Amino acid sequence: MVLKLKIRRQEDTGKSYYQTFEIPYQEGMTLLMALQRIKEELDPSLCFRHFCRAGICGTCTIMVNGFPKLACKEQALPYALFGQEILIEPIRNFRVIRDLVVDNERVIEKIKSLRLWIREQSKDPRIEPELSRKIENSADCILCLACQSYCPQVLEENYAGPLFFAKLFRFYEDPREEQKELRAKQAVREGNLYHCLSCNKCNLVCPKEVEPATLIRELMQRMDVAS
């Protein structure tokens, strides 16, 4: 069987075009393995990100036929069986640096500015299993940017996006977080929480089933009660 990939390429000059590659399918091949095969054997200039190859680091997210997917987890067999050409593009809503590599610095800076971590404490950091399960979903986020790339509302400059609200939900609910009012302010005033369109697109594409849209609605309910 042959795997056909139509990949969006972009040069350093900003010029973009599509290039089609055909490679033989191998048992157990993922789209990341296919990209690596192309880079090693056909075109060493092809640029893409990857690291863990186990669906943990979230760096290999790409658009596959219009949907954000983790390349390391997306199996190539269904595409090879039907002889379907696979459209591979960089994730949306981010500036493309080269080929499938996008600039994620804005996300990193936003994480820093919102201080999305628990501050060091002298008291016992352990929490009850029941509370741990309550925040388990939001804690599973691997920062793969799939939700951010598929959310239409992030085009609004001041809207933080589902990734950040999922994180803020975790800290608002975490009993070790002492600055609940700060987290509420970050969500409503700095992140424009209520600008969410409730379209559920982020839920559909999250590879870790974090369900950011569900957490956003729950966060809204907490804010309504608090006010």
Side-chain angles (χ1 to χ4, degrees), residues 8 29 38-39 41 60 62 82 85-86 96 98-99 107 109 114 118 143 147 157 160 164-165 189 201 203 209:
R8 184 184 186 275
M29 178 178 276
I38 292 171
K39 187 174 181 68
E41 300 181 7
C60 68
I62 53 175
F82 292 99
E85 183 178 72
I86 314 168
V96 177
R98 186 182 176 103
D99 294 341
V107 172
E109 291 304 317
L114 293 177
I118 296 290
L143 304 177
C147 61
E157 184 178 354
F164 297 101
F165 293 127
R189 297 183 184 177
K201 288 187 174 182
N203 277 8
E209 298 183 356

Side-chain angles (χ1 to χ4, degrees), residues 60-82:
C60 68
T61 309
I62 53 175
M63 300 298 289
V64 181
N65 292 341
F67 293 91
K69 302 278 188 179
L70 289 178
C72 68
K73 301 297 288 183
E74 187 71 2
Q75 293 294 315
L77 179 58
Y79 304 101
L81 282 174
F82 292 99

Side-chain angles (χ1 to χ4, degrees), residues 30 32 50-61 69-74 140-144 206-209:
T30 63
L32 177 58
H50 68 95
F51 186 68
C52 74
R53 294 182 289 182
I56 298 172
C57 71
T59 59
C60 68
T61 309
K69 302 278 188 179
L70 289 178
C72 68
K73 301 297 288 183
E74 187 71 2
D140 283 344
C141 173
I142 58 174
L143 304 177
C144 69
C206 178
K208 306 302 286 187
E209 298 183 356

Side-chain angles (χ1 to χ4, degrees), residues 2 9 13-14 28 30 33-34 36 46 66 82 88 90 92-93 120-121 139 141 152 161 174 177 181 197 205-206 225:
V2 175
R9 308 292 304 272
T13 60
T30 63
M33 294 168 65
Q36 290 174 320
L46 179 63
F82 292 99
I88 305 291
R92 299 169 185 161
N93 299 332
E120 184 179 356
Q121 299 177 347
C141 173
D174 196 315
E177 175 59 70
E181 292 184 5
L197 300 175
V205 299
C206 178
V225 171

